[in-house]
Amino acid sequence: MKIINEAEAVLSQALSIELRAGEIVYILHPGQILSFQGASAQREDQLMDIAGIYRKRKFVQSRISGPVKFMIGLPTGFSMQTIPITTGSDLLFEWKHVMFYTAGMKVDRRVQTFKNAVITRELVKMKFTAEDGLLGVISHGPLYRMELDPVRPTYVDVSCLVAYPENAQLKPVVYGNTLASQHMNYHWEITGKGYVLLQTSKSDGQLERDLDGGGFIKRILREVIPFGGVFIK
């Protein structure tokens, strides 16, 4: 399998995937397929219950077999990275972050606790196992790998966590002093062995307003100086 970025940039918005004869991938977001070069029969869409995640809610996946070439489009600001899945891999993912996986993988479900499901708005995590497989993972911004410590906790913003080891211990918390804890999103307190995957682009409305309109002092000057809004940009 060959993956080609269609732009010389980290956040390429289009990826081409070439499969050789005998190679098969499953696309979990088939609506992102922009173009397809191959026989019509080489794409087979299926109604799928991801390892029994939901009893009544089903998803559609595409089974694509080579030889074929197709292009996948990504939303603005998103990127895709391939993660090798080999014997002993124990990362847990949310289905929304998985663009594709190669044939031969076993997909198992892991149901979250009610409290964690309420915070993440996801009831089930997906675990992929294989002797030699490949996973295509999409994230908001580049994907970053961070090592965990079995004793010293790592605090990760809930909205930024893409994957974590099954053996890890997670607890939703806020941290810091009172002011800090009152002005932050929930974080996971994580301990364990292995690493977590983080999406590094995070929306911050206040930061964006500050960057667009200048700092705190400039905002005050615009208000107190006559015609400040005209002269102070």
Side-chain angles (χ1 to χ4, degrees):
M1 183 169 69
K2 184 178 181 182
I3 299 178
I4 305 168
N5 281 336
E6 294 298 335
E8 295 297 327
V10 174
L11 295 180
S12 174
Q13 302 308 133
L15 301 164
S16 289
I17 298 178
E18 295 184 14
L19 301 179
R20 296 186 293 268
E23 293 182 326
I24 298 172
V25 297
Y26 294 89
I27 308 296
L28 267 62
H29 301 279
Q32 298 303 123
I33 298 176
L34 304 182
S35 64
F36 185 89
Q37 292 179 326
S40 177
Q42 290 175 269
R43 171 176 173 172
E44 181 184 354
D45 284 14
Q46 307 164 337
L47 285 175
M48 176 193 60
D49 181 1
I50 303 175
I53 290 177
Y54 300 106
R55 179 170 297 177
K56 296 182 179 179
R57 179 181 175 187
K58 292 187 176 181
F59 303 97
V60 175
Q61 70 174 4
S62 291
R63 179 185 185 273
I64 298 180
S65 56
V68 70
K69 180 179 180 180
F70 59 98
M71 182 182 292
I72 290 177
L74 301 177
T76 302
F78 283 75
S79 63
M80 189 178 80
Q81 182 173 326
T82 55
I83 307 295
I85 302 295
T86 56
T87 303
S89 297
D90 69 341
L91 288 175
L92 300 181
F93 294 83
E94 292 182 8
W95 75 270
K96 65 185 179 183
H97 287 292
V98 180
M99 176 60 74
F100 71 82
Y101 62 94
T102 53
M105 280 198 193
K106 182 181 178 182
V107 186
D108 294 320
R109 65 173 181 150
R110 295 293 185 269
V111 180
Q112 294 194 87
T113 64
F114 177 77
K115 183 178 181 180
N116 289 358
V118 170
I119 292 173
T120 62
R121 299 180 183 178
E122 288 289 339
L123 178 61
V124 176
K125 299 290 185 180
M126 299 169 64
K127 180 181 178 180
F128 296 86
T129 54
E131 292 184 2
D132 184 18
L134 199 63
L135 202 65
V137 178
I138 53 177
S139 60
H140 196 188
L143 203 59
Y144 181 77
R145 172 173 168 165
M146 177 176 284
E147 294 291 333
L148 295 175
D149 189 283
V151 178
R152 185 181 180 185
T154 300
Y155 297 97
V156 176
D157 190 313
V158 167
S159 65
C160 296
L161 186 61
V162 172
Y164 60 88
E166 187 174 19
N167 72 78
Q169 301 296 315
L170 281 75
K171 181 170 67 174
V173 298
V174 292
Y175 65 94
N177 62 7
T178 302
L179 186 61
S181 63
Q182 289 176 347
H183 293 82
M184 68 168 61
N185 190 18
Y186 266 112
H187 282 59
W188 291 120
E189 180 185 285
I190 309 176
T191 54
K193 297 180 180 179
Y195 63 91
V196 296
L197 295 177
L198 308 177
Q199 54 184 2
T200 54
S201 181
K202 189 173 186 299
S203 297
D204 186 333
Q206 184 60 56
L207 175 59
E208 293 172 3
R209 288 191 293 271
D210 288 345
L211 292 174
D212 289 339
F216 179 70
I217 300 299
K218 281 188 176 181
R219 293 202 302 271
I220 292 179
L221 292 176
R222 288 194 193 99
E223 296 294 332
V224 300
I225 296 178
F227 303 105
V230 176
F231 299 108
I232 301 176
K233 302 296 183 182

